[in-house]
Short mmCIF file of all heavy atoms in Angstrom, two decimals:
data_model
loop_
_atom_site.label_atom_id
_atom_site.label_comp_id
_atom_site.label_asym_id
_atom_site.label_seq_id
_atom_site.Cartn_x
_atom_site.Cartn_y
_atom_site.Cartn_z
N ALA G 85 20.06 -71.99 60.76
CA ALA G 85 19.40 -72.17 59.50
C ALA G 85 19.80 -71.13 58.45
O ALA G 85 19.79 -71.43 57.24
CB ALA G 85 17.88 -72.13 59.71
N ASP G 86 20.21 -69.98 58.90
CA ASP G 86 20.57 -68.88 57.95
C ASP G 86 22.07 -68.73 57.80
O ASP G 86 22.55 -67.69 57.38
CB ASP G 86 19.98 -67.57 58.42
CG ASP G 86 20.41 -67.15 59.81
OD1 ASP G 86 21.08 -67.97 60.52
OD2 ASP G 86 20.19 -66.02 60.21
N ALA G 87 22.84 -69.80 58.07
CA ALA G 87 24.29 -69.70 58.01
C ALA G 87 24.73 -69.38 56.58
O ALA G 87 24.24 -70.02 55.65
CB ALA G 87 24.96 -71.02 58.46
N PRO G 88 25.61 -68.45 56.41
CA PRO G 88 26.07 -68.14 55.04
C PRO G 88 26.96 -69.29 54.49
O PRO G 88 27.44 -70.16 55.23
CB PRO G 88 26.97 -66.89 55.21
CG PRO G 88 27.35 -66.87 56.65
CD PRO G 88 26.22 -67.52 57.41
N ALA G 89 27.14 -69.34 53.14
CA ALA G 89 27.75 -70.42 52.51
C ALA G 89 29.18 -70.65 53.03
O ALA G 89 29.63 -71.79 53.20
CB ALA G 89 27.81 -70.18 50.98
N LEU G 90 29.95 -69.56 53.27
CA LEU G 90 31.30 -69.73 53.74
C LEU G 90 31.33 -70.42 55.10
O LEU G 90 32.21 -71.32 55.36
CB LEU G 90 32.01 -68.38 53.82
CG LEU G 90 33.48 -68.43 54.23
CD1 LEU G 90 34.29 -69.33 53.33
CD2 LEU G 90 34.07 -67.00 54.26
N GLN G 91 30.42 -70.09 55.97
CA GLN G 91 30.32 -70.74 57.28
C GLN G 91 30.00 -72.19 57.13
O GLN G 91 30.58 -73.07 57.78
CB GLN G 91 29.32 -70.03 58.18
CG GLN G 91 29.25 -70.64 59.60
CD GLN G 91 28.15 -70.00 60.46
OE1 GLN G 91 27.49 -69.10 60.04
NE2 GLN G 91 28.01 -70.50 61.68
N ARG G 92 29.04 -72.53 56.25
CA ARG G 92 28.65 -73.92 56.02
C ARG G 92 29.88 -74.74 55.53
O ARG G 92 30.11 -75.86 55.92
CB ARG G 92 27.54 -74.01 55.04
CG ARG G 92 26.14 -73.69 55.65
CD ARG G 92 25.06 -73.72 54.63
NE ARG G 92 24.88 -72.41 53.99
CZ ARG G 92 24.51 -72.18 52.75
NH1 ARG G 92 24.24 -73.24 51.97
NH2 ARG G 92 24.34 -70.97 52.32
N LEU G 93 30.63 -74.10 54.62
CA LEU G 93 31.85 -74.80 54.10
C LEU G 93 32.83 -75.03 55.19
O LEU G 93 33.39 -76.14 55.29
CB LEU G 93 32.42 -73.93 52.96
CG LEU G 93 33.74 -74.46 52.41
CD1 LEU G 93 33.57 -75.84 51.79
CD2 LEU G 93 34.32 -73.50 51.36
N ARG G 94 33.09 -74.02 56.01
CA ARG G 94 34.13 -74.17 57.06
C ARG G 94 33.72 -75.25 58.08
O ARG G 94 34.53 -76.06 58.52
CB ARG G 94 34.33 -72.86 57.74
CG ARG G 94 35.16 -71.87 56.93
CD ARG G 94 35.22 -70.51 57.56
NE ARG G 94 36.16 -69.62 56.86
CZ ARG G 94 36.20 -68.31 57.02
NH1 ARG G 94 35.36 -67.68 57.86
NH2 ARG G 94 37.09 -67.59 56.31
N VAL G 95 32.44 -75.24 58.45
CA VAL G 95 31.95 -76.25 59.44
C VAL G 95 32.02 -77.64 58.81
O VAL G 95 32.41 -78.61 59.49
CB VAL G 95 30.53 -75.92 59.88
CG1 VAL G 95 29.90 -77.06 60.65
CG2 VAL G 95 30.55 -74.61 60.72
N LEU G 96 31.64 -77.79 57.59
CA LEU G 96 31.72 -79.11 56.90
C LEU G 96 33.19 -79.60 56.85
O LEU G 96 33.39 -80.75 57.19
CB LEU G 96 31.14 -78.99 55.48
CG LEU G 96 31.31 -80.26 54.63
CD1 LEU G 96 30.67 -81.46 55.28
CD2 LEU G 96 30.79 -80.04 53.22
N ASN G 97 34.08 -78.74 56.48
CA ASN G 97 35.48 -79.17 56.40
C ASN G 97 36.05 -79.54 57.73
O ASN G 97 36.81 -80.49 57.94
CB ASN G 97 36.33 -78.14 55.73
CG ASN G 97 36.22 -78.15 54.22
OD1 ASN G 97 35.61 -79.07 53.64
ND2 ASN G 97 36.75 -77.18 53.53
N GLN G 98 35.72 -78.78 58.74
CA GLN G 98 36.14 -79.10 60.14
C GLN G 98 35.59 -80.43 60.58
O GLN G 98 36.33 -81.27 61.12
CB GLN G 98 35.67 -78.01 61.12
CG GLN G 98 35.83 -78.32 62.61
CD GLN G 98 37.26 -78.41 63.05
OE1 GLN G 98 38.17 -77.79 62.45
NE2 GLN G 98 37.53 -79.20 64.08
N PHE G 99 34.37 -80.67 60.28
CA PHE G 99 33.69 -81.95 60.63
C PHE G 99 34.27 -83.16 59.86
O PHE G 99 34.62 -84.16 60.45
CB PHE G 99 32.21 -81.80 60.38
CG PHE G 99 31.40 -83.07 60.66
CD1 PHE G 99 31.15 -83.48 61.96
CD2 PHE G 99 30.77 -83.74 59.57
CE1 PHE G 99 30.40 -84.61 62.17
CE2 PHE G 99 30.02 -84.88 59.85
CZ PHE G 99 29.81 -85.31 61.17
N PHE G 100 34.42 -82.96 58.55
CA PHE G 100 34.80 -84.05 57.66
C PHE G 100 36.30 -84.44 57.79
O PHE G 100 36.65 -85.57 58.01
CB PHE G 100 34.48 -83.69 56.20
CG PHE G 100 34.62 -84.81 55.22
CD1 PHE G 100 33.66 -85.73 55.04
CD2 PHE G 100 35.78 -84.86 54.43
CE1 PHE G 100 33.77 -86.77 54.08
CE2 PHE G 100 35.93 -85.92 53.50
CZ PHE G 100 34.90 -86.84 53.34
N PHE G 101 37.12 -83.42 57.68
CA PHE G 101 38.60 -83.72 57.66
C PHE G 101 39.23 -83.74 59.06
O PHE G 101 40.10 -84.57 59.28
CB PHE G 101 39.31 -82.67 56.81
CG PHE G 101 38.90 -82.71 55.34
CD1 PHE G 101 38.09 -81.73 54.82
CD2 PHE G 101 39.40 -83.70 54.56
CE1 PHE G 101 37.72 -81.81 53.46
CE2 PHE G 101 39.04 -83.76 53.19
CZ PHE G 101 38.23 -82.82 52.64
N ASN G 102 38.76 -82.93 59.96
CA ASN G 102 39.39 -82.85 61.26
C ASN G 102 38.72 -83.73 62.31
O ASN G 102 39.37 -84.57 62.90
CB ASN G 102 39.42 -81.39 61.80
CG ASN G 102 40.26 -80.50 60.89
OD1 ASN G 102 41.13 -80.96 60.19
ND2 ASN G 102 40.01 -79.21 60.90
N GLU G 103 37.45 -83.61 62.43
CA GLU G 103 36.75 -84.39 63.47
C GLU G 103 36.59 -85.88 63.12
O GLU G 103 36.97 -86.78 63.85
CB GLU G 103 35.39 -83.79 63.80
CG GLU G 103 34.63 -84.50 64.92
CD GLU G 103 33.34 -83.79 65.31
OE1 GLU G 103 33.31 -82.59 65.13
OE2 GLU G 103 32.42 -84.50 65.73
N LEU G 104 36.07 -86.13 61.92
CA LEU G 104 35.89 -87.48 61.42
C LEU G 104 37.19 -88.07 60.97
O LEU G 104 37.36 -89.31 60.91
CB LEU G 104 34.83 -87.57 60.37
CG LEU G 104 33.42 -87.20 60.77
CD1 LEU G 104 32.44 -87.38 59.64
CD2 LEU G 104 32.93 -88.06 61.96
N GLY G 105 38.12 -87.24 60.50
CA GLY G 105 39.43 -87.72 60.13
C GLY G 105 39.53 -88.35 58.75
O GLY G 105 40.42 -89.16 58.46
N PHE G 106 38.63 -87.95 57.85
CA PHE G 106 38.74 -88.48 56.45
C PHE G 106 39.98 -87.88 55.77
O PHE G 106 40.32 -86.71 56.02
CB PHE G 106 37.50 -88.09 55.65
CG PHE G 106 36.31 -88.96 55.93
CD1 PHE G 106 35.29 -88.60 56.81
CD2 PHE G 106 36.20 -90.27 55.32
CE1 PHE G 106 34.21 -89.40 57.04
CE2 PHE G 106 35.12 -91.05 55.57
CZ PHE G 106 34.12 -90.61 56.45
N GLY G 107 40.64 -88.69 54.96
CA GLY G 107 41.81 -88.25 54.27
C GLY G 107 42.31 -89.33 53.30
O GLY G 107 41.77 -90.41 53.20
N GLY G 108 43.38 -88.98 52.62
CA GLY G 108 43.92 -89.88 51.62
C GLY G 108 44.63 -91.04 52.19
O GLY G 108 45.34 -90.92 53.24
N ASN G 109 44.50 -92.19 51.57
CA ASN G 109 45.21 -93.43 52.00
C ASN G 109 46.61 -93.42 51.38
O ASN G 109 46.87 -94.10 50.38
CB ASN G 109 44.44 -94.66 51.61
CG ASN G 109 44.99 -95.92 52.25
OD1 ASN G 109 46.06 -95.90 52.81
ND2 ASN G 109 44.22 -97.00 52.20
N VAL G 110 47.51 -92.68 51.99
CA VAL G 110 48.87 -92.54 51.43
C VAL G 110 49.68 -93.84 51.61
O VAL G 110 50.61 -94.07 50.89
CB VAL G 110 49.60 -91.33 52.09
CG1 VAL G 110 48.95 -90.05 51.73
CG2 VAL G 110 49.69 -91.50 53.59
N ASN G 111 49.33 -94.69 52.54
CA ASN G 111 50.05 -95.90 52.83
C ASN G 111 49.69 -97.02 51.90
O ASN G 111 50.49 -97.95 51.68
CB ASN G 111 49.89 -96.32 54.27
CG ASN G 111 50.48 -95.33 55.25
OD1 ASN G 111 51.57 -94.79 55.00
ND2 ASN G 111 49.79 -95.08 56.36
N ASN G 112 48.50 -97.00 51.34
CA ASN G 112 48.03 -98.09 50.44
C ASN G 112 47.09 -97.50 49.41
O ASN G 112 45.93 -97.80 49.33
CB ASN G 112 47.36 -99.18 51.28
CG ASN G 112 47.27 -100.48 50.52
OD1 ASN G 112 47.76 -100.63 49.41
ND2 ASN G 112 46.66 -101.48 51.14
N TYR G 113 47.69 -96.63 48.59
CA TYR G 113 46.92 -95.88 47.61
C TYR G 113 46.19 -96.74 46.64
O TYR G 113 45.06 -96.39 46.18
CB TYR G 113 47.81 -94.89 46.90
CG TYR G 113 47.15 -93.81 46.11
CD1 TYR G 113 46.74 -92.64 46.73
CD2 TYR G 113 46.90 -93.94 44.78
CE1 TYR G 113 46.13 -91.63 46.06
CE2 TYR G 113 46.25 -92.94 44.01
CZ TYR G 113 45.86 -91.76 44.69
OH TYR G 113 45.22 -90.78 43.98
N TYR G 114 46.74 -97.89 46.26
CA TYR G 114 46.17 -98.71 45.16
C TYR G 114 45.29 -99.85 45.71
O TYR G 114 45.02 -100.78 45.00
CB TYR G 114 47.23 -99.22 44.26
CG TYR G 114 47.96 -98.04 43.54
CD1 TYR G 114 49.16 -97.61 44.00
CD2 TYR G 114 47.32 -97.36 42.48
CE1 TYR G 114 49.79 -96.49 43.34
CE2 TYR G 114 47.94 -96.34 41.84
CZ TYR G 114 49.17 -95.90 42.28
OH TYR G 114 49.75 -94.81 41.65
N ASP G 115 44.87 -99.80 46.95
CA ASP G 115 43.93 -100.74 47.53
C ASP G 115 42.59 -100.49 46.87
O ASP G 115 42.06 -99.36 46.95
CB ASP G 115 43.87 -100.56 49.03
CG ASP G 115 42.99 -101.58 49.69
OD1 ASP G 115 42.19 -102.27 49.02
OD2 ASP G 115 43.07 -101.72 50.94
N PRO G 116 41.96 -101.50 46.25
CA PRO G 116 40.60 -101.30 45.67
C PRO G 116 39.59 -100.72 46.67
O PRO G 116 38.68 -100.00 46.23
CB PRO G 116 40.25 -102.75 45.19
CG PRO G 116 41.51 -103.43 44.98
CD PRO G 116 42.44 -102.88 46.03
N ASP G 117 39.75 -101.04 47.91
CA ASP G 117 38.81 -100.50 48.92
C ASP G 117 38.77 -99.01 48.93
O ASP G 117 37.75 -98.42 49.40
CB ASP G 117 39.16 -101.02 50.33
CG ASP G 117 38.40 -102.29 50.66
OD1 ASP G 117 37.53 -102.76 49.89
OD2 ASP G 117 38.65 -102.90 51.76
N ASN G 118 39.82 -98.34 48.52
CA ASN G 118 39.78 -96.89 48.43
C ASN G 118 38.75 -96.35 47.46
O ASN G 118 38.39 -95.15 47.50
CB ASN G 118 41.16 -96.35 47.99
CG ASN G 118 42.25 -96.61 49.03
OD1 ASN G 118 41.96 -96.63 50.21
ND2 ASN G 118 43.46 -96.76 48.54
N SER G 119 38.23 -97.22 46.58
CA SER G 119 37.19 -96.79 45.64
C SER G 119 35.80 -97.20 46.04
O SER G 119 34.84 -96.83 45.37
CB SER G 119 37.50 -97.42 44.26
OG SER G 119 38.70 -96.84 43.68
N TYR G 120 35.70 -97.98 47.09
CA TYR G 120 34.39 -98.49 47.58
C TYR G 120 33.96 -97.61 48.74
O TYR G 120 34.55 -97.62 49.78
CB TYR G 120 34.49 -99.93 47.96
CG TYR G 120 34.88 -100.86 46.83
CD1 TYR G 120 35.81 -101.90 47.01
CD2 TYR G 120 34.33 -100.71 45.57
CE1 TYR G 120 36.17 -102.72 45.98
CE2 TYR G 120 34.67 -101.54 44.50
CZ TYR G 120 35.58 -102.53 44.74
OH TYR G 120 35.94 -103.36 43.67
N LEU G 121 32.83 -96.89 48.54
CA LEU G 121 32.43 -95.91 49.53
C LEU G 121 32.03 -96.53 50.87
O LEU G 121 32.19 -95.88 51.92
CB LEU G 121 31.33 -95.07 48.97
CG LEU G 121 31.77 -94.11 47.86
CD1 LEU G 121 30.60 -93.40 47.21
CD2 LEU G 121 32.77 -93.08 48.42
N ASN G 122 31.53 -97.75 50.90
CA ASN G 122 31.23 -98.40 52.21
C ASN G 122 32.57 -98.58 52.99
O ASN G 122 32.59 -98.44 54.20
CB ASN G 122 30.52 -99.72 51.96
CG ASN G 122 31.34 -100.70 51.14
OD1 ASN G 122 31.88 -100.35 50.11
ND2 ASN G 122 31.45 -101.90 51.60
N ALA G 123 33.60 -98.96 52.28
CA ALA G 123 34.94 -99.13 52.93
C ALA G 123 35.50 -97.81 53.33
O ALA G 123 36.15 -97.68 54.41
CB ALA G 123 35.89 -99.87 52.04
N VAL G 124 35.39 -96.77 52.49
CA VAL G 124 35.87 -95.44 52.85
C VAL G 124 35.18 -94.93 54.11
O VAL G 124 35.85 -94.34 54.97
CB VAL G 124 35.64 -94.46 51.65
CG1 VAL G 124 36.02 -93.05 52.01
CG2 VAL G 124 36.47 -94.92 50.42
N LEU G 125 33.91 -95.15 54.22
CA LEU G 125 33.19 -94.75 55.43
C LEU G 125 33.70 -95.48 56.65
O LEU G 125 33.77 -94.88 57.75
CB LEU G 125 31.69 -94.97 55.27
CG LEU G 125 30.91 -93.89 54.54
CD1 LEU G 125 29.51 -94.41 54.12
CD2 LEU G 125 30.72 -92.68 55.41
N ARG G 126 34.06 -96.71 56.47
CA ARG G 126 34.55 -97.51 57.62
C ARG G 126 35.97 -97.12 58.01
O ARG G 126 36.29 -96.97 59.22
CB ARG G 126 34.51 -99.01 57.26
CG ARG G 126 34.91 -99.93 58.39
CD ARG G 126 34.86 -101.39 57.99
NE ARG G 126 35.95 -101.72 57.08
CZ ARG G 126 35.79 -102.02 55.81
NH1 ARG G 126 34.57 -102.05 55.23
NH2 ARG G 126 36.83 -102.35 55.05
N THR G 127 36.83 -96.97 57.04
CA THR G 127 38.30 -96.75 57.36
C THR G 127 38.65 -95.26 57.41
O THR G 127 39.69 -94.89 57.92
CB THR G 127 39.14 -97.38 56.26
OG1 THR G 127 38.89 -96.75 55.01
CG2 THR G 127 38.80 -98.90 56.13
N ARG G 128 37.74 -94.38 56.84
CA ARG G 128 38.04 -92.96 56.76
C ARG G 128 39.22 -92.63 55.85
O ARG G 128 39.81 -91.61 55.93
CB ARG G 128 38.24 -92.29 58.17
CG ARG G 128 37.15 -92.63 59.21
CD ARG G 128 35.91 -91.81 58.96
NE ARG G 128 34.79 -92.33 59.74
CZ ARG G 128 34.49 -91.91 60.99
NH1 ARG G 128 35.24 -90.98 61.56
NH2 ARG G 128 33.43 -92.36 61.61
N ARG G 129 39.51 -93.59 54.96
CA ARG G 129 40.62 -93.44 54.04
C ARG G 129 40.13 -93.72 52.60
O ARG G 129 39.31 -94.58 52.36
CB ARG G 129 41.77 -94.34 54.35
CG ARG G 129 42.51 -93.96 55.63
CD ARG G 129 43.29 -92.68 55.41
NE ARG G 129 43.91 -92.12 56.61
CZ ARG G 129 43.39 -91.22 57.42
NH1 ARG G 129 42.15 -90.77 57.15
NH2 ARG G 129 43.99 -90.83 58.51
N GLY G 130 40.67 -92.96 51.63
CA GLY G 130 40.29 -93.19 50.29
C GLY G 130 41.26 -92.49 49.33
O GLY G 130 42.34 -92.06 49.72
#
Side-chain angles (χ1 to χ4, degrees):
D86 60 349
L90 182 57
Q91 183 183 357
R92 281 176 272 149
L93 174 61
R94 285 174 172 164
V95 169
L96 173 59
N97 280 352
Q98 169 67 27
F99 178 70
F100 188 82
F101 294 105
N102 296 337
E103 184 174 330
L104 296 181
F106 281 100
N109 190 348
V110 294
N111 294 321
N112 199 0
Y113 193 85
Y114 297 101
D115 184 345
D117 267 355
N118 292 330
S119 294
Y120 298 137
L121 289 173
N122 60 312
V124 173
L125 276 165
R126 183 182 71 249
T127 64
R128 309 283 169 90
R129 289 290 174 267

